[in-house]
C-alpha cells in the first residue's frame, strides 16, 4: 500500500509539473520581444541629405506639382500623422481580444503523514457583457479618426504649400518690377542731376527724384529679404535638407485676373476630412460610454480544478463573478458621458466653422476679384498715360520730373495690383482645397 501511494503521488506531481511546464512554454512562445532602436543622428542626417538631393535631382528649380510630391513625402508633420494612423491601425488589429486565462498552482506538504498534495486551477473569463467587441469597435473608430485626421493634415498642408508657392511667384514679379523701376529711377536721377546743375529744374524736383531712388532701394532690399524668407519657408515646408535651400519655383503668374471658383456647398462640406475625423471620434465616444455602462454588470468566470490530495486525484468545475453592489462604475460612466458631450460640441463647432468659412471665402473672393479687376484697369490706364507722357517728353512739351511722376504712379499701381492679385489667388486656393472633391483630384 505504501508503494502504491508513493507511486500515485509521484504520478500526480509529474502530471501537475507537465501541465505547468506546457502552459508556461506556451505563454513564453507568444510573447513579444524587445528590440532596441537607438537613434543615430549622424546617420539620419546623412540619409536626409541624400534623399533630399535624390528627390530634387540636382535641380535648383521645381514645378509646383513636383513641390507637392516632394512635400507630401518629406513633410515631418504629415509623416507624424501617418505614424499615428499606423499606430491606431496596429492597435485596432489586436483590440477586442478576450482576457488571457489565469492559472494558479499550489503545493502543500502534510508533515505528520509525509504526504505532498498539489493542485492546479485554470480559469477563463467569459465576456457575457460583450466588452471585447465594444473595445474592438472603439479601436476601429479611432483608427478611422486618425485616417481622416491624416487626410485633413494633407489637405491643409497642400493649401498652405500652394499659397506659399503663389506668394513666391508674386514676389518674383514684384522683384522684377522693382528692379526695373529702380534702374529707370537711377537714370532719371542722373539726368535730373545734370539739369539741376544747368538750372533747368528746381531743387524741389531734384530732391523728390533723389529721395525716390533711396525709397526704391529700400523697397528692393525689403523685397529681397521677403524673397529669402519665403524660399527658406518653402524648403522647410517641403521637409528638404538645408543643403538644397536655394530652391526656386519654375512657374510664373498667369496673365490677367483669374475667375473666382465656386464655394463648396453644405453637401460637399459633409465630406470634409476634418468633419469625418470628428464624427469618427464622436462614434468612439459613444462606444466608450456603452463600454463603461456594460462594466456595471458582472463578468462571468469559469474554470476547473485538478488536485492530488492524499493519493487521490480530484477534479471539479468552478464559477465566479463580481457583485456590483455600490461602485457600479459610476465615476467612469460620468467621465465617458462628459467626454461624449465635449466631442459632440467640438463636432458641431467645426461644422459651423466650415459653413462660415465657405460663406466668408465666397464673399471675400467676390470682393477681391472686383478690386483686382479695378486695379488692373487703373494700371492699364496709367500705362497708356505714361506712353502719352513719354511722347510729350520726346517732343519737349513736358519736363523729365513730370514724366518721372507718371512712371512712379504707374509703378505704384502695378505693385498694388500684384497685392490684390496675391490676395485673390490665396482666397481661390483656400476655396479650392476647402472643397473635398478638389482635394481628391490632387
Amino acid at each position: 500500500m505504501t508503494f502504491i501511494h508513493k507511486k500515485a503521488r509521484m504520478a500526480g506531481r509529474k502530471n501537475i509539473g507537465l501541465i505547468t511546464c506546457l502552459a508556461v512554454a506556451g505563454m513564453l512562445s507568444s510573447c513579444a520581444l524587445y528590440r532596441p532602436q537607438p537613434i543615430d543622428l549622424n546617420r539620419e542626417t546623412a540619409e536626409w541629405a541624400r534623399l533630399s538631393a535624390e528627390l530634387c535631382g540636382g535641380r535648383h528649380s521645381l514645378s509646383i506639382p513636383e513641390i507637392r510630391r516632394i512635400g507630401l513625402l518629406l513633410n515631418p508633420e504629415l509623416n507624424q500623422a501617418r505614424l499615428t494612423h499606423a499606430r491606431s491601425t496596429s492597435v485596432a488589429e489586436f483590440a477586442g481580444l478576450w482576457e488571457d486565462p489565469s492559472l494558479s498552482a499550489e503545493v502543500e506538504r502534510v508533515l505528520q503523514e509525509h504526504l505532498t498534495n498539489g493542485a492546479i486551477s485554470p480559469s477563463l473569463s467569459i465576456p457575457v457583457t460583450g466588452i471585447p467587441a465594444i473595445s474592438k469597435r472603439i479601436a476601429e473608430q479611432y483608427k478611422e479618426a486618425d485616417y481622416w485626421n491624416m487626410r485633413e493634415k494633407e489637405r491643409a498642408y497642400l493649401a498652405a504649400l500652394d499659397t506659399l508657392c503663389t506668394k513666391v511667384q508674386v514676389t518674383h514679379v514684384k522683384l522684377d518690377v522693382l528692379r526695373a523701376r529702380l534702374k529707370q529711377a537711377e537714370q532719371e536721377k542722373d539726368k535730373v542731376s545734370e539739369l539741376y546743375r544747368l538750372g533747368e529744374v528746381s531743387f524741389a524736383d531734384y530732391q523728390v527724384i533723389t529721395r525716390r531712388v533711396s525709397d526704391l532701394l529700400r523697397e528692393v532690399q525689403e523685397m529681397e529679404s521677403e524673397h529669402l524668407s519665403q524660399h527658406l519657408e518653402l524648403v522647410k515646408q517641403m521637409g528638404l535638407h538645408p543643403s538644397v535651400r536655394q530652391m526656386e519655383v519654375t512657374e510664373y503668374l498667369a496673365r490677367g485676373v483669374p475667375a473666382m471658383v465656386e464655394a463648396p456647398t453644405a453637401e460637399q462640406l459633409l465630406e470634409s476630412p476634418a468633419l469625418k475625423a470628428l464624427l469618427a471620434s464622436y462614434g468612439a465616444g459613444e462606444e466608450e460610454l456603452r463600454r463603461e455602462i456594460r462594466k456595471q454588470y458582472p463578468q462571468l468566470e469559469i474554470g476547473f480544478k485538478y488536485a492530488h490530495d492524499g493519493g487521490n486525484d480530484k477534479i471539479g468545475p468552478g464559477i465566479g463573478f463580481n457583485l456590483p453592489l455600490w461602485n457600479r462604475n459610476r465615476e467612469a460612466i460620468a467621465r465617458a458621458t462628459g467626454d461624449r458631450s465635449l466631442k459632440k460640441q467640438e463636432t458641431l463647432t467645426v461644422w459651423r466653422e466650415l459653413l462660415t468659412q465657405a460663406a466668408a471665402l465666397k464673399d471675400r473672393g467676390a470682393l477681391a476679384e472686383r478690386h483686382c479687376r479695378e486695379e488692373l484697369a487703373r494700371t492699364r490706364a496709367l500705362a497708356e498715360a505714361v506712353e502719352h507722357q513719354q511722347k510729350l517728353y520726346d517732343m519737349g512739351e513736358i519736363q523729365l520730373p513730370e514724366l518721372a511722376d507718371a512712371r512712379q504712379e504707374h509703378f505704384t499701381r502695378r505693385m498694388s495690383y500684384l497685392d490684390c492679385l496675391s490676395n485673390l489667388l490665396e482666397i481661390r486656393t483656400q476655396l479650392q482645397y476647402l472643397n473635398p472633391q478638389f482635394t481628391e483630384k490632387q
Side-chain angles (χ1 to χ4, degrees), residues 114 129 140 162 172 279 297 306 314 327 366 380 405 438:
H114 302 287
T129 56
E140 289 292 338
D162 279 14
H172 286 167
L279 287 172
Y297 308 112
Y306 168 78
K314 301 178 180 179
N327 188 336
R380 289 173 176 172
D405 288 343
F438 177 82

Side-chain angles (χ1 to χ4, degrees), residues 19 118-122 303-309 312-318:
I19 294 173
I120 183 170
S121 303
F304 71 95
K305 182 176 182 179
Y306 168 78
H308 181 79
D309 186 8
N312 299 316
D313 292 332
K314 301 178 180 179
I315 188 171

Side-chain angles (χ1 to χ4, degrees), residues 310-325:
N312 299 316
D313 292 332
K314 301 178 180 179
I315 188 171
I319 186 171
F321 53 88
N322 62 317
L323 297 176
L325 296 178

Side-chain angles (χ1 to χ4, degrees), residues 365-432:
L367 184 61
E369 183 180 5
R370 179 168 64 84
H371 287 172
C372 202
R373 295 189 184 280
E374 291 173 352
E375 202 66 29
L376 180 59
R378 284 191 289 267
T379 302
R380 289 173 176 172
L382 285 171
E384 295 176 358
V386 169
E387 290 181 4
H388 180 68
Q389 293 287 86
Q390 182 68 49
K391 292 178 182 178
L392 293 177
Y393 175 74
D394 293 339
M395 292 186 295
E397 296 186 8
I398 63 172
Q399 292 185 340
L400 182 58
E402 297 176 76
L403 175 61
D405 288 343
R407 289 171 175 174
Q408 183 65 23
E409 180 64 21
H410 177 240
F411 159 76
T412 303
R413 293 266 65 85
R414 286 189 68 186
M415 297 296 285
S416 178
Y417 164 71
L418 289 173
D419 288 335
C420 289
L421 181 61
S422 178
N423 182 45
L424 175 63
L425 292 175
E426 182 177 350
I427 294 173
R428 286 183 85 255
T429 300
Q430 292 179 17
L431 270 175
Q432 286 173 332

Side-chain angles (χ1 to χ4, degrees), residues 46-169:
E47 176 62 20
W48 180 26
R50 184 200 63 79
L51 183 58
S52 297
E54 179 182 334
L55 290 173
C56 294
R59 293 171 295 167
H60 293 289
S61 60
L62 296 171
S63 66
I64 292 179
E66 290 173 327
I67 289 173
R68 292 193 195 111
R69 179 178 61 85
I70 294 174
L72 288 173
L73 286 173
L74 296 184
N75 182 263
E77 292 184 3
L78 295 184
N79 286 323
Q80 184 174 356
R82 290 169 187 138
L83 288 174
T84 301
H85 177 240
R87 180 187 62 184
S88 60
T89 301
S90 180
V91 170
E93 182 181 356
F94 299 104
L97 299 177
W98 284 20
E99 292 185 10
D100 290 327
S102 62
L103 180 66
S104 62
E106 60 183 43
V107 178
E108 63 180 7
R109 176 73 174 173
V110 183
L111 298 178
Q112 289 80 0
E113 299 182 12
H114 302 287
L115 296 176
T116 300
N117 299 326
I120 183 170
S121 303
S123 63
L124 176 67
S125 295
I126 306 298
V128 293
T129 56
I131 289 179
I134 297 177
S135 297
K136 179 69 173 179
R137 292 198 297 270
I138 291 172
E140 289 292 338
Q141 290 279 11
Y142 279 123
K143 170 187 170 183
E144 183 180 356
D146 285 339
Y147 169 77
W148 288 114
N149 275 322
M150 177 184 67
R151 294 292 302 276
E152 169 60 18
K153 285 186 179 295
E154 290 176 349
R155 181 208 67 80
Y157 170 74
L158 288 174
L161 189 65
D162 279 14
T163 298
L164 183 56
C165 288
T166 298
K167 290 181 178 179
V168 170
Q169 291 174 309

